[in-house]
């Protein structure tokens, strides 16, 4: 049963003002309030409303994002807002443990307002603080209260100038000195400087620093993490031996101070090694509970999987904001019509529907995936904290890692393409900075890069799948997994023999059709990748070269198709479950079908090449089904946006406001901009100082 608010839904979700969007809202096939309640639940809706209302009523948050202020002023403002978030204490520690989705809700709601603020809070509490909690032990818990009262401020220092994705090659060192029971943190040269580290530029007093651990005798035990003080909290001046600075302006998120640091033989106590995966005794002996060094390395980078899972949600927030702006614009922007006297909303055009509605469906599908994967991560981390060494726990870790490694690329790239499509779909108005689509595009862009380059990360997922095929018995129980994301591979041989069964357009209007096609597609790409890898090895290539030569047309599409299948399966199961209120079933199942068919259509050539499709009718049927679903969802589009869009104050886009007064909102905002009606300060350069034509032409 869906939760109810017992009559208080009007206070929690007030009706929108009547206006140009009312016609679409009146035609919706469902109640947007009922869907919001089903999608988020009453508790989360209350949490979001409290947070958004608080920000709107606090003058400190009145000026949105960077605007025309200097970077220095923007960063000061961002830090003051960060402090204010702690003062409001929206989410207590016990709330985090009892309602983990509120952690994700806090990050995404702050991100809707300004990603510079959200990322600053995220890096301090969830990345720095959580890494200490999950990678350390009881001796490190002294830092946790200092994180939450901002006595210290943290950052996560892994990336270096010369190394990012190849974490094993990180060059910062930590040599243990048993005579003083200290580690000596050192950067051998500037290429080993920590770089691009959020919060490090101006704010952080402490860092989780990743370095190669050496014990006496010179033995290297690989990458480990250490808590290192980099600034004095009382003065924010660097600690002795630490060079720390700011890397300057970025393409976006300039309220966040990304920085660099170098260490010159900085000594820290032995106890500041985060020791959950490995420790050093007072005498200098290295000890670890892991027998396999690869397992220890994977566990030590567990915080990266957490970061990737959060980035999935961050990316989809950007997509949700963009489609909210573009669809409200499209429902009120009128151009052309069947007669010269009648103009119709551009949303009525099939082309506009085809451009935007699949991204609306993707926003819903990937939002559900982001939340479910976050809960999977919480389960994994709970097992780690309880020192669960079971085979299931190890398999769960591998599965979450594989899903996060492909989830980040799929979500960030989908958002990247979707935001650009929304920008173009809004024409010239979409190019105005005040309408926010440019900021969304720039703020989303780093999601494609940090916590691992997307194309590199996809190799983690394809390696996971290839490993299953190499070590398992096709058709056997080896393909069972804790989250069941690869359970379908139990039928691997049989699935390869299946063919498209759709006999009519109606057959294709359910997500079970693309779901079946995706299962075949993943099996086909897995077989092709496996055979290609073996072929490369037989031809004399070593493992490194062989895998490198398999990426472009084999392993990369394999990883993406597998993740698209996983997203679709979870969304299909969610929208077809008995607990979906009857009035919502049709619209949610249409979204599921549209997402599945639209994603699948990008693999049409593979479906034909592998023999799953044959004849022109199959491809035409998929295309017709996509257009039919777009047409069916067109009248529901505004109401679907109303469910996922934040209040106008947070959305901050004149063309995307809930009242639909497109031109009035835009005109008012333009006229309120600084000096829009003033004469240019350099007007004499035009009026008095005319050019002498040819006066500077060379006389040679």
């Amino acid at each position: 049963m869906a939760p109810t608010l017992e009559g208080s839904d009007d206070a929690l979700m007030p009706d929108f003002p009547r206006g140009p969007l009312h016609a679409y809202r009146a035609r919706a096939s469902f109640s947007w309030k009922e869907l919001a309640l089903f999608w988020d639940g009453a508790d989360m809706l209350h949490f979001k409303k409290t947070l958004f209302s608080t920000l709107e009523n606090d003058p400190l948050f009145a000026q949105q994002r960077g605007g025309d202020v200097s970077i220095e002023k923007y960063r000061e403002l961002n830090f003051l807002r960060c402090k204010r978030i702690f003062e409001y204490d929206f989410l207590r520690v016990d709330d985090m443990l009892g309602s983990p989705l509120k952690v994700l809700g806090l990050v995404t709601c702050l991100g809707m307002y300004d990603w510079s603020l959200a990322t600053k809070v995220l890096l301090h509490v969830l990345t720095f603080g959580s890494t200490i909690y999950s990678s350390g032990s009881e001796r490190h818990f002294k830092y946790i209260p200092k994180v939450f009262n901002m006595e210290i401020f943290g950052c996560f220092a892994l990336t270096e100038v010369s190394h990012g994705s190849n974490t094993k090659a990180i060059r910062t060192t930590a040599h243990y000195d048993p005579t003083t029971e200290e580690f000596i943190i050192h950067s051998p040269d500037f290429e080993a400087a920590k770089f691009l580290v959020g919060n490090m530029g101006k704010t952080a007093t402490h860092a989780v620093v990743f370095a190669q651990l050496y014990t006496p005798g010179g033995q290297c035990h690989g990458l480990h993490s250490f808590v290192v003080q980099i600034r004095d909290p009382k003065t924010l001046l660097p600690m002795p031996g630490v060079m720390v600075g700011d890397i300057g302006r970025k393409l976006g998120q300039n309220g966040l101070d990304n920085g660099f640091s170098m260490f010159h033989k900085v000594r820290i106590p032995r106890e500041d090694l985060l020791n959950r995966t490995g420790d050093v005794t007072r005498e200098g002996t290295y000890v670890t509970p892991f027998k396999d060094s690869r397992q220890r390395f994977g566990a030590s980078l567990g915080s990266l999987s957490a970061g990737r899972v959060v980035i999935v949600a961050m990316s989809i927030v950007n997509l949700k904001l963009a489609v909210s702006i573009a669809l409200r614009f499209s429902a009120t922007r009128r151009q052309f019509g069947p007669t010269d006297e009648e103009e119709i909303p551009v949303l009525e055009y099939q082309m506009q529907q085809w451009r935007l509605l699949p991204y609306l469906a993707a926003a819903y599908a990937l939002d559900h995936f982001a939340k479910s994967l976050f809960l999977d991560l919480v389960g994994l981390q709970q097992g780690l904290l309880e020192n669960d060494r079971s085979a299931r726990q190890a398999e769960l870790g591998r599965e979450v890692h594989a899903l996060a490694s492909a989830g980040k690329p799929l979500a960030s790239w989908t958002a990247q393409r979707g935001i650009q499509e929304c920008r173009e779909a809004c024409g010239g108005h979409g190019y105005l900075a005040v309408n926010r689509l440019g900021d969304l595009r720039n703020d989303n862009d780093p999601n494609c890069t940090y916590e691992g380059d997307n194309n590199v990360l996809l190799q983690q997922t394809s390696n996971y799948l290839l490993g299953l095929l190499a070590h398992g018995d096709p058709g056997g129980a080896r393909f069972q997994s804790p989250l069941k994301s690869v359970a379908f591979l139990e039928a691997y041989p049989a699935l390869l023999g299946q063919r498209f069964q759709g006999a009519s357009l109606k057959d294709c209007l359910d997500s079970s059709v693309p779901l079946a096609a995706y299962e075949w597609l993943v099996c086909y790409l897995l077989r092709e990748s496996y055979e290609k890898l073996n072929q490369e090895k037989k031809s004399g290539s070593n493992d490194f070269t062989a895998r490198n030569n398999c990426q472009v047309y084999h392993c990369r599409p394999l990883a993406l198709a597998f993740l698209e299948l996983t997203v679709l399966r979870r969304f299909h199961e969610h929208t077809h479950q008995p607990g979906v209120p009857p009035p919502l079933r049709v619209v949610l199942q249409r979204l599921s079908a549209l997402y599945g068919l639209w994603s699948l259509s990008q693999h049409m050539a593979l479906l034909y090449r592998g023999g799953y499709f044959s004849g022109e009718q199959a491809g035409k049927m998929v295309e017709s089904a996509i257009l039919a679903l777009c047409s069916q969802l067109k009248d529901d589009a505004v109401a679907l946006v109303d469910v996922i869009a934040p209040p106008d104050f947070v959305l901050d886009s004149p063309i995307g406001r809930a009242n639909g007064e497109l031109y009035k909102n835009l005109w008012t905002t333009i006229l309120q901009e600084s000096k829009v009606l003033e004469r240019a300060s350099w007007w004499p350069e035009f009026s008095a100082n005319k050019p002498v034509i040819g006066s500077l032409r060379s006389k040679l």
Side-chain angles (χ1 to χ4, degrees):
M1 288 290 291
T4 61
L5 288 179
E6 299 179 356
S8 63
D9 56 338
D10 287 337
L12 185 62
M13 298 175 284
D15 293 332
F16 292 103
R18 287 183 69 93
L21 288 173
H22 178 72
Y24 276 102
R25 287 177 174 135
R27 290 204 296 270
S29 66
F30 65 97
S31 162
W32 74 270
K33 295 181 182 182
E34 186 176 13
L35 179 54
L37 199 56
F38 171 75
W39 195 254
D40 276 334
D43 195 34
M44 181 63 76
L45 289 175
H46 278 291
F47 178 75
K48 288 182 176 181
K49 185 174 180 64
T50 298
L51 194 153
F52 288 145
S53 298
T54 302
L55 299 189
E56 186 169 5
N57 292 320
D58 188 331
L60 183 61
F61 296 88
Q63 185 177 350
Q64 294 279 0
R65 293 179 301 284
D68 295 326
V69 301
S70 67
I71 285 187
E72 183 72 15
K73 185 63 181 176
Y74 185 15
R75 288 179 177 173
E76 177 189 357
L77 189 59
N78 198 43
F79 182 71
L80 292 174
R81 288 170 174 168
C82 179
K83 283 207 304 183
R84 189 63 56 87
I85 296 299
F86 278 81
E87 290 167 351
Y88 282 124
D89 195 20
F90 289 113
L91 198 57
R92 297 189 178 98
V93 176
D94 54 342
D95 290 331
M96 293 184 185
L97 300 174
S99 304
L101 280 179
K102 284 188 179 178
V103 176
L104 200 62
L106 176 65
V107 173
T108 55
C109 286
L110 292 178
M112 287 182 171
Y113 172 78
D114 183 359
W115 279 118
S116 288
L117 174 61
T119 309
K120 193 165 197 67
V121 174
L122 168 69
L123 290 172
H124 173 55
V125 178
L126 295 183
T127 308
F128 175 73
S130 290
T131 299
I132 291 175
Y133 183 74
S134 60
S135 298
S137 58
E138 192 171 342
R139 74 191 193 200
H140 302 106
F141 291 172
K142 63 183 181 182
Y143 288 111
I144 303 302
K146 296 178 181 180
V147 168
F148 281 94
N149 63 23
M150 285 181 67
E151 183 179 335
I152 63 175
F153 208 81
C155 62
F156 184 86
L158 174 63
T159 298
E160 297 177 353
V161 170
S162 62
H163 285 93
S165 297
N166 187 8
T167 52
K168 287 185 178 180
I170 291 297
R171 297 177 60 240
T172 302
T173 59
H175 284 84
Y176 182 65
D177 181 357
T179 61
T180 60
E181 296 187 20
E182 292 174 317
F183 284 101
I184 304 169
I185 309 297
H186 185 66
S187 308
D189 52 50
F190 75 91
E191 290 186 6
K194 296 301 180 182
F195 200 68
L196 285 166
V197 180
N199 286 342
M200 182 175 274
K202 298 292 182 183
T203 320
T205 63
H206 290 68
V208 169
V209 175
F210 283 81
Q212 304 291 349
L213 189 157
Y214 287 85
T215 48
Q219 184 179 0
C220 180
H221 299 275
L223 205 62
H224 288 69
S225 52
F226 304 80
V227 179
V228 182
Q229 184 173 349
I230 60 174
R231 286 188 179 94
D232 183 340
K234 295 180 180 178
T235 65
L236 281 190
L237 292 174
M239 297 299 290
V242 179
M243 174 194 285
V244 59
D246 191 275
I247 64 170
R249 183 181 289 272
K250 309 178 295 292
L251 293 179
Q253 295 190 31
N254 281 302
L256 180 68
D257 51 312
N258 291 75
F260 65 87
S261 63
M262 288 186 69
F263 304 96
H264 182 69
K265 299 180 179 178
V266 175
R267 289 180 172 268
I268 65 169
R270 179 184 69 89
E271 291 79 12
D272 281 341
L273 163 66
L274 296 176
N275 62 335
R276 184 168 293 275
T277 61
D279 205 351
V280 174
T281 66
R282 286 186 171 87
E283 298 75 25
T285 302
Y286 182 78
V287 292
T288 178
F290 293 90
K291 296 179 182 178
D292 187 334
S293 61
R294 291 175 299 177
Q295 282 188 330
R296 189 209 59 75
F297 179 73
S300 70
L301 293 180
S303 51
L304 291 181
S305 277
R308 291 163 190 159
V309 171
V310 174
I311 290 171
V312 173
M314 292 166 64
S315 300
I316 299 314
V317 164
N318 293 325
L319 181 60
K320 289 196 286 188
L321 295 175
V323 296
S324 297
I325 294 166
L327 281 167
R328 283 177 174 172
F329 171 90
S330 299
T332 50
R333 172 77 164 176
R334 293 174 177 268
Q335 297 288 290
F336 307 107
T339 67
D340 291 342
E341 291 75 30
E342 180 189 3
E343 288 188 305
I344 62 173
V346 295
L347 185 53
E348 295 298 317
Y349 291 101
Q350 187 181 77
M351 179 66 75
Q352 196 80 344
Q353 297 166 22
W354 174 78
R355 294 173 72 184
L356 295 179
L357 293 179
Y359 285 109
L360 177 63
Y364 270 87
L366 284 159
D367 185 49
H368 174 67
F369 172 73
K371 290 186 285 191
S372 64
L373 184 61
F374 186 79
L375 292 177
D376 294 335
L377 176 73
V378 170
L380 172 65
Q381 292 185 326
Q382 188 64 39
L384 291 174
L385 292 173
E386 294 171 358
N387 291 314
D388 185 347
R389 302 264 187 251
S390 67
R392 184 192 182 280
Q393 175 73 10
E395 188 61 42
L396 178 62
R398 286 189 284 270
E399 192 171 6
V400 168
H401 176 70
L403 293 174
S405 295
K408 186 183 91 75
L410 180 63
S412 58
W413 277 335
T414 302
Q416 182 189 60
R417 293 192 302 268
I419 295 166
Q420 181 64 25
E421 194 68 65
C422 289
R423 207 293 299 154
E424 294 180 29
C426 294
H429 295 321
Y431 192 66
L432 283 173
V434 74
N435 286 320
R436 200 183 175 184
L437 290 165
D439 283 345
L440 288 174
R441 184 174 56 191
N442 288 341
D443 284 349
N444 181 74
D445 227 33
N447 291 331
C448 302
T449 302
Y450 49 32
E451 306 290 351
D453 172 84
N454 280 355
N455 283 293
V456 176
L457 277 185
L458 289 171
Q459 297 178 41
Q460 299 287 321
T461 306
S462 60
N463 287 342
Y464 168 74
L465 294 169
L466 287 167
L468 292 175
L469 196 60
H471 299 118
D473 172 23
R478 178 66 184 85
F479 295 112
Q480 293 180 357
S481 55
L483 304 178
K484 300 191 176 355
S485 63
V486 294
F488 71 100
L489 290 176
E490 293 173 27
Y492 172 77
L495 284 171
L496 282 170
Q498 291 187 355
R499 296 296 179 262
F500 178 66
Q501 298 296 319
S504 66
L505 175 63
K506 186 178 180 181
D507 292 338
C508 291
L509 298 181
D510 186 83
S511 46
S512 59
V513 172
L515 196 57
Y518 261 117
E519 288 187 345
W520 175 89
L521 179 62
V522 173
C523 289
Y524 171 74
L525 286 169
L526 182 56
R527 184 190 68 186
E528 294 291 295
S529 299
Y530 186 70
E531 291 177 353
K532 171 68 173 172
L533 182 61
N534 286 333
Q535 177 188 337
E536 288 288 331
K537 290 179 178 178
K538 287 177 182 177
S539 67
S541 298
N542 59 31
D543 187 68
F544 176 83
T545 303
R547 290 185 184 278
N548 184 47
N549 292 341
C550 290
Q551 296 305 315
V552 178
Y553 293 116
H554 294 83
C555 294
R556 183 182 186 276
L558 166 63
L560 285 170
F562 168 67
L563 210 284
E564 288 165 0
L565 165 62
T566 305
V567 173
L568 177 60
R569 187 190 308 283
R570 292 192 180 194
F571 194 40
H572 172 86
E573 291 173 353
H574 187 58
T575 56
H576 288 71
Q577 62 167 306
V580 178
L584 304 179
R585 288 175 187 167
V586 171
V587 67
L588 286 174
Q589 290 174 14
R590 283 172 177 169
L591 286 172
S592 180
L594 178 57
Y595 173 72
L597 290 168
W598 172 73
S599 297
L600 187 70
S601 69
Q602 298 168 65
H603 303 286
M604 204 79 83
L606 286 170
L607 293 166
Y608 273 108
R609 190 177 78 188
Y612 187 77
F613 280 175
S614 61
E616 64 180 22
Q617 196 59 33
K620 286 183 176 180
M621 205 177 294
V622 169
E623 291 173 350
S624 297
I626 290 171
L627 295 178
L629 287 163
C630 285
S631 178
Q632 292 170 0
L633 285 165
K634 177 252 303 179
D635 287 344
D636 286 330
V638 171
L640 287 166
V641 160
D642 290 340
V643 173
I644 60 175
D648 288 344
F649 168 76
V650 175
L651 186 61
D652 192 34
S653 174
I655 64 173
R657 286 183 192 155
N659 65 8
E661 297 286 355
L662 169 62
Y663 302 120
K664 186 185 297 183
N665 294 335
L666 183 61
W667 189 246
T668 301
T669 303
I670 294 298
L671 291 181
Q672 288 175 345
E673 291 285 303
S674 176
K675 301 180 180 180
V676 292
L677 299 177
E678 289 185 17
R679 179 175 61 173
S681 61
W682 39 265
W683 67 268
E685 291 295 334
F686 175 83
S687 301
N689 301 322
K690 297 298 181 182
V692 178
I693 305 302
S695 62
L696 298 179
R697 188 169 56 200
S698 173
K699 300 296 193 288
L700 297 178

